[in-house]
Amino acid sequence: MTYFRTTRSSPIVALTFLAPIFLAVAALLVCSPVTADPVPVSRTEHSGEPRAPEGRRVARITMANFAFSPQTLTVPAGTMLVWTNDDDAPHTVKGVSSDSQIASQALDTGETFSAILRHPGRYKYFCTLHPFMVGWVIVQ
Amino acid sequence: MQSNDSDRKGHHGISRRTLLKCSAWAGAGVVWAMKGGVPSSFNMADEAAAAELDSDFSFVQVSDSHIGFDKAANPDPVGTLSAAIRKIGALPNHPAFILHTGDVSHLSRKEEFDAAQQILQTSGLPVHYVPGEHDVLVDSGRAFFERFNKHADRKWYSFDQGGVHFVGLVNVLELVAGGRGRLGTEQLEWLDRDLRNRSASTPIVVFAHMPLWDAYPQWGWGTDDAARAIACFRKFGSVTVLNGHVHQVLQKVEGNLSFHTAMSTAFPQPAPGTAPGPGPMKVPAGHLRAVLGLREVAIVQGRGPLSVVDRTLA
C-alpha cells in the first residue's frame, strides 16, 4: 500500500467512468450480509486532492462537524481513498487493527491523508483525537 | 463613596468592596463553597458569605491553552494565555501554584510547548501539568512527558500541599474507537495504592484532562473506566475533580464528589448538543475574553470549605 499526505490540488478522473461501478457495488451491497449500515454513497469532489496515478480510482471522505462523511464507504480494491479535514479542529485517521495501513498524522484544516487498500475486507477506523468519530471502508 | 465595613481591609489586605468588584468579573457571579463535601452556593452580593473566602491556601486551574491554534475562533491563543497569567498575578489571594489540565499545545509541536511553558513561567509559580489529547499526537506524547513529567517510570502522580492530597491523572492515551477518555489498568492500580492508606478526612483534589463523569458522551465527554477511580475516591469526605477538554464550565455533584470542567484560555466550545459537533466556537471579537477564563480554588484550613471560583478574562 502506498500513502500520501499533501495539500496540493490536481485534476481528477471523470465521474462517468466510475458511476456504473458504484451502481454495481451498491446493488451487491443490498444483498450482502456484510453490513446493516446505511446504503453507502460514494462521491468524488474537485477540491484539494493529491495527484492520483493515471487511471487510479479515487474516493473521498471528508471530516466535518466531527464526523466522517460518508461514514461507510464501499469501494473496489485498489481505489485511492482520500480523507480531507474540513473542520477547524485537527483530526487523525487510524485503522483499528494493530497492523492497519490507515494511519495518518494529525491533519489540520484542509490537510489530507490518502491510502490505497488492495485487499477486500471491512476496515474500521476512527479519529484518535475524537474517538467517537468512527467510519468504515468496505473494499470489494 | 460611602465608607463602611466594606472598605476595611480584611485578612489578606483586600477589602470586601474590592473582593466583590473582582468577583463581579466571574461569569455567573455564583461561588460554590464545599463544606464537608456538600457544596452550597451564595451570590457574590452577600458580603458576609464573601468574607468566607479569606483562606490560607489557594491555587489556580488553567486549561486548554491550545498554543498553535490559529483559526477564526481565536487567532491569538498566546495573547489570551498571557492575559490569563496577568490575571493570576492580580488575584487577591496569591495562589500557591497552577494546575494545567491539558491541551497545552494544539498540535504537540516543540515550539508550541516552548511558548506555553515560557508564558506559564512568567507567573513565577510552580505549574503541574497533565496532558490533553492534543499534547500526545506524536510518539505517544513523548515530547510532552519529557518536558513536563515528574517521574521516569510513570505518567501520573500525586503530591500533598496545605493538607490537601492532589492527584494528576492521564486519560488521553491509547483511546479506542467509539470510546471516550481512558485511564487504563496500570494507572487505576497505582491510584488504588496511592489512596488506600490515606485518612478519609484528607481533602482530595483530582485533576485530569477529559471529564471523569459522563458530561456528554455523544461528543466523547467522559472517561470509559472512570467508575473504578471514582470507587477509590468515595471514602473521602471531600473530593474535588477538576477537568478540562470541553472549554466551558460544567459541574456535577455526587455525594462527597464534585466535578468541574473549566473554561479554556483559547476558545469556547458549544454547550452540549447545541451544535453539530464540539469544535471551536466563534463569538464576536469583543466577546471572546468573556468566555475564556481560569479557576481559583481556595482551601480554608480547619473549616472544611473548598471554594471554587471561575473568573473570565474580561
Side-chain angles (χ1 to χ4, degrees):
Chain A
M1 188 225 80
T2 52
Y3 62 91
F4 312 87
R5 178 168 177 244
T6 178
T7 57
R8 288 183 296 122
S9 32
S10 60
I12 193 79
V13 296
L15 262 172
T16 49
F17 171 68
L18 299 166
I21 294 166
F22 287 128
L23 281 171
V25 165
L28 275 172
L29 206 80
V30 168
C31 315
S32 164
V34 168
T35 176
D37 294 332
V39 174
V41 174
S42 182
R43 56 183 170 23
T44 55
E45 289 174 37
H46 298 257
S47 61
E49 67 266 17
R51 185 170 299 279
E54 196 65 42
R56 171 78 64 189
R57 299 183 187 95
V58 178
R60 302 183 172 283
I61 301 162
T62 57
M63 294 168 269
N65 292 317
F66 289 68
F68 295 107
S69 180
Q71 188 181 24
T72 302
L73 179 62
T74 301
V75 296
T79 303
M80 175 184 282
L81 299 154
V82 180
W83 283 266
T84 304
N85 186 2
D86 279 352
D87 265 342
D88 270 358
H91 294 299
T92 67
V93 187
K94 175 114 178 15
V96 300
S97 52
S98 53
D99 61 348
S100 178
Q101 312 284 15
I102 303 172
S104 76
Q105 298 176 330
L107 306 175
D108 207 352
T109 308
E111 292 187 328
T112 65
F113 168 74
S114 305
I116 299 171
L117 298 177
R118 302 189 192 281
H119 304 291
R122 185 180 168 87
Y123 298 84
K124 181 177 179 183
Y125 64 90
F126 70 114
C127 170
T128 57
L129 281 161
H130 315 104
F132 62 95
M133 286 173 66
V134 180
W136 290 264
V137 177
I138 299 167
V139 179
Q140 298 269 341
Chain B
M1 282 279 245
Q2 62 217 34
S3 110
N4 54 27
D5 279 357
S6 290
D7 291 319
R8 204 180 316 128
K9 296 217 185 288
H11 183 60
H12 288 281
I14 187 143
S15 68
R16 287 177 195 176
R17 180 184 297 281
T18 309
L19 174 63
L20 290 173
K21 203 165 72 157
C22 291
S23 303
W25 289 5
V30 171
V31 174
W32 289 86
M34 298 285 298
K35 292 184 196 284
V38 178
S40 58
S41 66
F42 49 92
N43 191 288
M44 285 313 299
D46 181 344
E47 294 194 23
E52 287 281 322
L53 284 183
D54 265 355
S55 81
D56 299 336
F57 171 39
S58 71
F59 64 92
V60 167
Q61 177 193 6
V62 297
S63 200
D64 296 89
S65 43
H66 282 268
I67 300 302
F69 180 81
D70 60 358
K71 305 295 184 288
N74 180 5
D76 184 24
V78 163
T80 47
L81 178 61
S82 303
I85 301 306
R86 285 194 298 275
K87 195 166 184 91
I88 291 170
L91 288 173
N93 288 327
H94 300 293
F97 54 81
I98 298 172
L99 300 181
H100 193 309
T101 45
D103 283 356
V104 179
S105 70
H106 190 53
L107 292 170
S108 301
R109 293 187 176 144
K110 178 185 185 299
E111 60 271 21
E112 297 172 355
F113 289 129
D114 280 344
Q117 189 172 23
Q118 267 171 39
I119 296 166
L120 282 148
Q121 280 171 347
T122 64
S123 68
L125 301 174
V127 187
H128 306 279
Y129 298 84
V130 286
E133 71 282 1
H134 284 253
D135 296 319
V136 296
L137 289 170
V138 181
D139 207 5
S140 303
R142 176 202 286 260
F144 176 93
F145 292 113
E146 277 178 356
R147 183 187 292 259
F148 297 125
N149 199 20
K150 297 174 185 298
H151 301 276
D153 61 336
R154 58 179 157 81
K155 303 179 172 77
W156 35 88
Y157 58 91
S158 64
F159 62 92
D160 294 281
Q161 191 154 345
V164 177
H165 187 63
F166 292 85
V167 182
L169 299 178
V170 176
N171 59 358
V172 294
L173 292 174
E174 295 175 31
L175 305 184
V176 298
R180 294 156 291 168
R182 179 183 168 275
L183 291 162
T185 313
E186 192 186 344
Q187 182 169 199
L188 288 165
E189 287 173 353
W190 169 84
L191 180 66
D192 187 57
R193 290 193 302 272
D194 184 76
L195 297 177
R196 191 176 298 155
N197 296 321
R198 292 184 192 273
S199 154
S201 62
T202 309
I204 307 285
V205 171
V206 188
F207 54 107
H209 182 68
M210 295 182 73
L212 286 171
W213 90 100
D214 274 351
Y216 195 61
Q218 295 90 318
W219 284 349
W221 292 358
T223 297
D224 287 339
D225 51 359
R228 190 169 151 193
I230 302 306
C232 293
F233 294 130
R234 284 216 190 278
K235 76 172 195 188
F236 294 95
S238 163
V239 182
T240 308
V241 181
L242 302 175
N243 298 134
H245 187 61
V246 308
H247 297 221
Q248 61 196 270
V249 175
L250 301 175
Q251 296 175 333
K252 175 185 160 96
V253 175
E254 222 176 70
N256 295 344
L257 280 68
S258 70
F259 301 79
H260 313 256
T261 64
M263 287 181 279
S264 162
T265 64
F267 53 83
Q269 290 177 354
T274 61
M281 183 170 77
K282 288 186 269 292
V283 298
H287 186 59
L288 176 62
R289 294 192 177 199
V291 292
L292 305 178
L294 53 96
R295 167 174 292 144
E296 187 184 14
V297 183
I299 295 104
V300 181
Q301 300 304 339
R303 279 192 270 166
L306 205 75
S307 79
V308 176
V309 179
D310 290 300
R311 303 181 184 277
T312 59
L313 297 190

